[in-house]
């Protein structure tokens, strides 16, 4: 099985994880990257005329800590701060690629034009992959799969692969809302896809449209350079959660398995609303949605509060139309003299270069774990990183890569058609519960645990408890660190992962208030450990007694 040829499309976060995990199981993957550098949205040349990959803007700061957004078996440098800047993230992925010697497998400046089934695909599951140098493709930002004809394919380089892993990412086609009058707006219209820095908007009146992460970050960034206040239209509203919470703790402290599976949703929402309200009166100002934080849009930021309170960023309700350079909002308020509009309104994925019937739009998702097409006969095509959600995508992406690498080599039994459909339905219901509609935005922590259970690397409480009770409590009540998926199961490294979890817990929960219930120390669980051992002993005694009674009755 290890002789199988594997094509990886894209050398971003998903592509790097795919290459590394394929190498780990003895495969020799070939990766095609249309840009001249690795890292995807973190390092792509956004100014290149042929690039269709967005890139993190200059002043971007990660929404999650380094212990959650990095890979499970390669830590960020010790002196890296909890929240990483764009250059720090770029350096991390370069170091990751260098450490595992991934660049040997990447063919840069090469665009994948078409992926289609071979004539004997029904028997072999193989794929034809057509590529050409990026400089020779003149489709610009058009979707190549829809533009390239048969005679053009003849000029491309063709290779046949046993497996194709599509890692080109979800952030491909910018979404623009249908705003009346936008076509006649005389100013600059941009999408966050093309945003690089607020310096380009010096002296301008800027309107930012959106109610999630990028909208808040870009509004704050633009306000650093403009003399005029930045208007931020939030549509149906948002909750603004601080990255730094009580005791100097990163917001990651809120993401525990206890809250995820057994927590009271109303209690969790009350706690999140309390954090939001502690910095800004969301309810009094009317910016809060009609749904609580676990079911509504939210953004993370600390500087945005001050920008709002100093009128550097002005909150507006839903944008309904443009009258020339005047923006009109649902409440009847208007902003005149708008020079530029930046839409932070999301993306849709693009798999038009693949001849396969899979929906990548906001409708029905027929991908097992957002990865394997349900209706394909062979499991030789997978999508890694085609996801958006609450949490750090790298966690889920790495688990997807570990899953598919083991599946390719036969180390993991393929899921049945029934199991795949049940998985799709489960993720669909989770998405509807979270968003009120069916989208690709899902709670990534739940997706991670779903995949981890299938691989066999889920960090089960009792299995960890028998080796380290303190760590077990961290895993259940503390933040869900990526390293937790290396504690048990295939490719585990107990000692290293355990040390990372302890270190991460100390950093993330330093000075946390007791109410947070995440700063787990050895002394804190002494009494709990005794209770757990007593409960275990009682359970064993009851099982023995019941077994003896059953034996007596049969005798």
């Amino acid at each position: 099985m290890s002789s199988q040829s594997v094509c990886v499309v894209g050398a971003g976060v998903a592509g790097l994880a795919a290459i590394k995990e394929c190498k780990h199981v003895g495969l020799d993957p070939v990766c095609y990257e249309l840009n001249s550098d690795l890292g995807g949205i973190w390092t792509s040349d956004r100014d290149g005329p042929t690039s269709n990959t967005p890139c993190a803007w200059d002043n971007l700061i990660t929404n999650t800590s380094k212990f959650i957004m990095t890979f499970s078996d390669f830590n960020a440098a010790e002196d890296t701060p909890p929240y990483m800047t764009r250059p720090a993230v770029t350096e991390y992925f370069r170091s990751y690629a260098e450490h595992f010697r991934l660049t040997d497998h990447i063919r840069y400046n090469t665009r994948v034009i078409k992926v289609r089934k071979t004539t004997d695909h029904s028997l072999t599951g193989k794929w034809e992959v057509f590529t050409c140098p990026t400089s020779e493709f003149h489709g610009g930002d058009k979707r190549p799969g829809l533009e390239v004809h048969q005679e053009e394919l003849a000029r491309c380089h063709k290779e046949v692969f046993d497996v194709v892993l599509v890692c080109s990412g979800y952030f491909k086609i910018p979404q623009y809302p249908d705003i009346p009058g936008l076509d006649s707006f005389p100013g600059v219209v941009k999408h966050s896809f093309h945003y690089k820095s607020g310096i380009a908007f010096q002296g301008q009146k800027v309107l930012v449209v959106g109610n999630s992460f990028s909208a808040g970050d870009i509004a704050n960034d633009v306000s650093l350079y403009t003399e005029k206040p930045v208007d931020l239209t939030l549509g149906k509203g948002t909750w603004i959660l601080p990255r730094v919470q009580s005791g100097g703790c990163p917001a990651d402290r809120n993401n525990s398995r206890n809250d995820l599976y057994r927590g009271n949703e109303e209690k969790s929402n009350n706690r999140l609303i309390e954090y939001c309200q502690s910095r800004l009166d969301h309810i009094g100002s009317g910016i809060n949605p009609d749904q609580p934080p676990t079911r509504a849009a939210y953004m993370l930021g600390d500087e945005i509060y001050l920008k709002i309170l100093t009128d550097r960023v002005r909150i507006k309700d839903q944008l309904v139309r443009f009258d020339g350079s005047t923006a009109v909002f649902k409440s009847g308020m208007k902003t005149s003299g708008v020079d530029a509009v930046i839409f932070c309104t999301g993306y849709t994925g693009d798999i038009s270069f693949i001849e396969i019937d899979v929906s990548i739009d906001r409708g029905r998702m027929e991908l097992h774990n957002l990865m394997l097409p349900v209706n394909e006969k062979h499991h030789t095509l997978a999508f890694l990183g085609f996801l958006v959600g609450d949490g750090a995508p790298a966690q889920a992406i790495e688990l997807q890569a570990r899953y598919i690498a083991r599946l390719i080599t036969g180390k993991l039994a393929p899921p049945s058609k029934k199991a795949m459909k049940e998985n799709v339905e489960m993720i669909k219901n989770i998405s509807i519960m979270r968003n009120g509609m069916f989208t690709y935005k899902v709670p990534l922590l739940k997706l991670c645990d779903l995949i981890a259970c299938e691989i066999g690397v889920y960090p089960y409480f009792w299995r960890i408890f028998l080796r380290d009770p303190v760590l077990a409590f961290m895993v259940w009540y503390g933040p869900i660190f990526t390293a937790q998926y290396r504690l048990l199961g295939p490719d585990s490294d107990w000692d290293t992962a355990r040390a990372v979890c302890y270190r991460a817990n100390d950093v993330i929960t330093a000075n946390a208030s007791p109410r947070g219930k995440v700063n787990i120390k050895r002394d804190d669980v002494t009494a709990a450990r005794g209770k757990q051992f007593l409960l275990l002993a009682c359970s064993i005694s009851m099982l023995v007694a019941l077994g003896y009674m059953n034996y007596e009755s049969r005798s």
Side-chain angles (χ1 to χ4, degrees), residues 338-375:
V338 178
D339 297 302
V341 182
I342 305 174
F343 287 98
C344 306
T345 45
Y347 301 83
T348 56
D350 179 22
I351 59 167
S352 59
F353 62 94
I354 305 175
E355 291 186 354
I356 182 176
D357 183 20
V358 174
S359 172
I360 277 295
D361 206 346
R362 293 188 170 186
R364 194 163 178 77
M365 291 188 293
E366 292 292 337
L367 297 174
H368 176 75
N369 286 328
L370 300 186
M371 179 175 51
L372 288 175
V374 172
N375 296 320

Side-chain angles (χ1 to χ4, degrees), residues 21 24-25 72 368-369 371-372 384 394-415 423 447-460 463 482 484-492:
E21 293 302 330
H24 179 71
V25 295
S72 64
H368 176 75
N369 286 328
M371 179 175 51
L372 288 175
L384 278 64
Q395 271 190 328
I397 288 170
E398 184 189 33
L399 285 165
Q400 287 182 328
R402 294 174 69 182
Y403 179 100
I404 196 64
R406 296 184 63 79
L407 183 67
I408 293 171
T409 54
K411 297 177 183 294
L412 183 68
N423 175 272
L447 178 64
C448 286
D449 281 353
L450 281 175
I451 301 173
C453 286
E454 292 194 41
I455 301 174
V457 298
Y458 178 81
Y460 290 99
R463 289 180 60 187
T482 312
Q484 292 172 4
Y485 297 112
R486 293 286 179 177
L487 290 169
L488 303 173
D491 304 319
S492 62

